[in-house]
Amino acid sequence: MDFHADYVMTIDGKAVPGEATMDVVNPATGEPFATAPDCSKAQLDAAVAAAKTAFKTWRRTPIAERQAMVAKAGDLLLVHADEMARLFTREQGRPVEAAKQEIQGAGMWMKAVAQMTPPVHVSEDSATQFIETRYVPLGVVCAIAPWNFPVNLAMWKVAPALVAGNTMVLKPSPYTPLCTLKIGQLFADVFPPGVFNVISGGDDLGPMMTSHSGFAKISFTGSTATGKRVMESAAKDLKRVTLELGGNDAAIVLPDVDLDAVAQKIFFGAFFNSAQICVATKRLYVHEDVYDGLRDRLAAIAGAVKMGDGAEQGTVLGPIQNKRQYDRVMDLLEDAKANHLTLIQGAAIPDNGGYFVPVTIVDNPPEDSRVVQEEAFGPILPMLKFSDIDDVIDRANASDYGLAGAVWSADTDKAVAIARRMETGTVWVNQNLNLRPDTPFAGHKQSGAGIENGMEGLLEYMSPQVVYLAR
Ligand code: NAD
């Protein structure tokens, strides 16, 4: 397969070009380098119809066969990770080695999910009756993915949905469609026609999908604002929804930490992927006794880390993925400057039309400043001082978001006690960004609705069915 040309959709197992096309831009240059199909309403209808027809057979295919095919699809990602990584870097911006890790990680993830089997519960097995609850698939799943981890976050949906016996129409972000389109073609050799369809398109396609009556469920990852629109649209015919949305994650650093041991970890927990991670540290609360020491260490790392085109050797951080997000992040930076906040900026950035924003640490801004209150989703990290534990927990929890958080301390009992008081679905102690296929991931408050991953995530693609048998 040529990963650098011929981007087509996969509908009913066939390669389908767009009736129209859209440009795909390399964020490291700001220049278009490829075109992707812009799916029409008729093509969406065809994909949903194919998935509906395929569902009839797929739901009755033994789960062991479905699991084997999902595992095989995962293997294909492992086999092609090297070639696909260069395409990933061109469309997404992340350096090639880290791009490859995402693709390999997605392959491993699929293989792990392929080992999961939904439970069967027997409530009664007596002389008079037998009562059994098992789980059945829902139908056609509409999967909508974002641009920050385009392969991984899409496969988080594909694997459980298909293992559960659903069929799917997947739509990548208009900013990062290409790897996903190629995955559609790769997987056409694995799944029966219609089981897994991939379409791409512009801003109109998402709402066209979420309002389409052919879908039984929507699995969405993206911003909280869009997630609310998705839920509204799903209400019309009570489609099931899983929403994985934004976050403004707080990390709390206690005074007993070994600064030299934690500084790198805290830095990359905030800035990996140029901070375009839903669960990145976005507010860093540091005890006043170690504040200056940690700030100086983070500043030194920021000064040494190369930001540039991910295709170049030695690049550690790439650009912001798209112009719209770049403008948002720059607006936040301008606001910080206009309010005379103290900014510590990292290494120089390329001046070439790419969407680069230098690593920026905001030195103890007021709690109510925009950089603290808003999800930056770009390399601007507010660092804030605290002296009292109860106060800092209140500040960390004072957010409409509740995705993840972290606590750093040499006293793990104390740290775990603080972690348990954080109002988030995931909390890390002395680590961060660690997620697993067998462990539930669920945003609290406005960071989401429903669960991905773990058995709980698999069951979100199913409904219980109870059979009562009289004896
Ligand atoms: P976005 O909401 O702009 O777009 C996400 C997807 O939704 C894209 O495919 C887009 O085309 C589609 N879309 C846009 N409008 C739509 C509509 N009205 N109806 C249906 N679909 C529509 O999000 P983004 O900018 O791509 O991603 C960044 C955001 O995603 C951040 O807020 C980040 O925190 C969040 N995110 C969350 C998680 C998580 O698991 N909780 C993971 C990654 C990113």
Side-chain angles (χ1 to χ4, degrees):
M1 178 175 290
D2 180 359
F3 282 90
H4 296 282
D6 305 327
Y7 301 105
V8 289
M9 301 187 282
T10 298
I11 297 175
D12 203 13
K14 295 189 255 318
V16 178
E19 288 163 17
T21 59
M22 57 185 192
D23 282 340
V24 182
V25 171
N26 180 341
T29 62
E31 297 294 334
F33 72 98
T35 58
D38 190 359
C39 185
S40 68
K41 174 73 170 70
Q43 289 173 320
L44 168 62
D45 288 342
V48 176
K52 260 195 148 161
T53 303
F55 179 60
K56 289 182 200 161
T57 313
W58 186 246
R59 70 177 305 171
R60 284 189 284 104
T61 303
I63 185 164
E65 286 178 34
R66 299 197 304 251
Q67 288 166 325
M69 284 187 244
V70 168
K72 199 170 161 198
D75 278 329
L76 281 180
L77 292 182
L78 297 178
V79 167
H80 292 283
D82 248 328
E83 305 156 85
M84 205 187 291
R86 282 186 291 278
L87 173 63
F88 186 114
T89 298
R90 286 182 91 187
E91 69 171 339
Q92 204 280 337
R94 192 179 321 148
V96 178
E97 198 48 42
K100 187 170 138 190
Q101 282 164 12
E102 173 168 340
I103 299 160
Q104 289 171 329
M108 297 302 293
W109 197 278
M110 293 186 83
K111 287 165 67 98
V113 174
Q115 312 253 329
M116 291 167 59
T117 302
V120 176
H121 301 296
V122 174
S123 324
E124 187 175 334
D125 185 1
S126 67
T128 55
Q129 62 176 352
F130 177 77
I131 305 169
E132 179 190 84
T133 305
R134 64 194 187 101
Y135 290 86
V136 297
L138 303 172
V140 183
V141 173
C142 162
I144 299 182
W147 45 259
N148 61 331
F149 283 80
V151 173
N152 215 343
L153 295 176
M155 296 310 121
W156 281 20
K157 304 180 188 309
V158 175
L162 301 194
V163 164
N166 305 281
T167 57
M168 174 177 279
V169 181
L170 165 65
K171 185 193 87 66
S173 165
Y175 297 113
T176 52
L178 302 179
C179 285
T180 310
L181 290 166
K182 288 294 172 189
I183 288 170
Q185 286 188 278
L186 284 177
F187 288 6
D189 291 339
V190 177
F191 298 109
V195 168
F196 177 58
N197 307 274
V198 177
I199 59 176
S200 62
D203 288 345
D204 297 341
L205 185 58
M208 225 193 274
M209 290 174 79
T210 57
S211 60
H212 198 295
S213 61
F215 289 112
K217 177 186 172 89
I218 304 169
S219 180
F220 172 86
T221 303
S223 63
T224 295
T226 309
K228 290 178 184 176
R229 286 196 282 276
V230 169
M231 200 177 220
E232 231 177 272
S233 175
K236 194 166 54 77
D237 31 31
L238 286 184
K239 292 183 186 81
R240 302 325 188 231
V241 285
T242 299
L243 305 175
E244 291 294 354
L245 309 177
N248 196 9
D249 296 2
I252 298 174
V253 182
L254 301 190
D256 60 3
V257 290
D258 174 347
L259 288 177
D260 289 323
V262 300
Q264 282 273 345
K265 293 178 191 166
I266 290 176
F267 182 87
F268 285 103
F271 291 109
F272 178 64
N273 202 29
S274 297
Q276 302 163 105
I277 308 186
C278 54
V279 291
T281 295
K282 291 170 186 152
R283 294 176 289 154
L284 181 60
Y285 292 98
V286 185
H287 192 275
E288 59 188 2
D289 291 354
V290 288
Y291 182 94
D292 289 357
L294 183 58
R295 182 198 55 209
D296 295 347
R297 282 168 178 78
L298 295 180
I301 300 168
V305 161
K306 182 184 168 191
M307 180 179 276
D309 187 333
E312 282 169 19
Q313 279 285 333
T315 299
V316 178
L317 297 176
I320 295 295
Q321 198 283 320
N322 60 74
K323 179 70 164 61
R324 194 173 63 180
Q325 185 63 21
Y326 172 80
D327 288 343
R328 268 192 214 136
V329 177
M330 288 306 286
D331 179 55
L332 216 46
L333 202 52
E334 291 310 320
D335 178 80
K337 284 181 187 163
N339 285 290
H340 310 294
L341 303 183
T342 307
L343 307 182
I344 301 164
Q345 294 199 306
I349 55 169
D351 180 16
N352 65 343
Y355 309 139
F356 294 99
V357 177
V359 168
T360 304
I361 295 161
V362 188
D363 191 1
N364 205 26
E367 193 73 30
D368 64 359
S369 54
R370 280 185 59 204
V371 278
V372 180
Q373 294 300 318
E374 295 181 21
E375 178 190 39
F377 221 61
I380 306 177
L381 178 68
M383 216 178 145
L384 302 114
K385 265 185 211 175
F386 77 87
S387 53
D388 176 77
I389 291 288
D390 290 326
D391 170 61
V392 78
I393 294 172
D394 284 347
R395 287 159 73 188
N397 287 337
S399 171
D400 289 337
Y401 293 115
L403 196 56
V407 185
W408 298 86
S409 171
D411 181 342
T412 49
D413 288 343
K414 190 172 179 183
V416 169
I418 294 170
R420 290 184 172 152
R421 290 174 64 188
M422 289 177 81
E423 297 170 358
T424 61
T426 300
V427 196
W428 291 292
V429 174
N430 295 332
Q431 57 165 303
N432 47 28
L433 306 185
N434 183 14
L435 296 168
R436 294 166 53 109
D438 58 358
T439 304
F441 178 62
H444 293 188
K445 302 195 253 183
Q446 293 190 27
S447 286
I451 305 164
E452 278 199 308
N453 310 336
M455 185 54 75
E456 294 92 335
L458 178 63
L459 294 182
E460 291 234 336
Y461 289 98
M462 310 187 89
S463 280
Q465 185 190 49
V466 188
V467 175
Y468 290 78
L469 165 71
R471 280 182 169 147

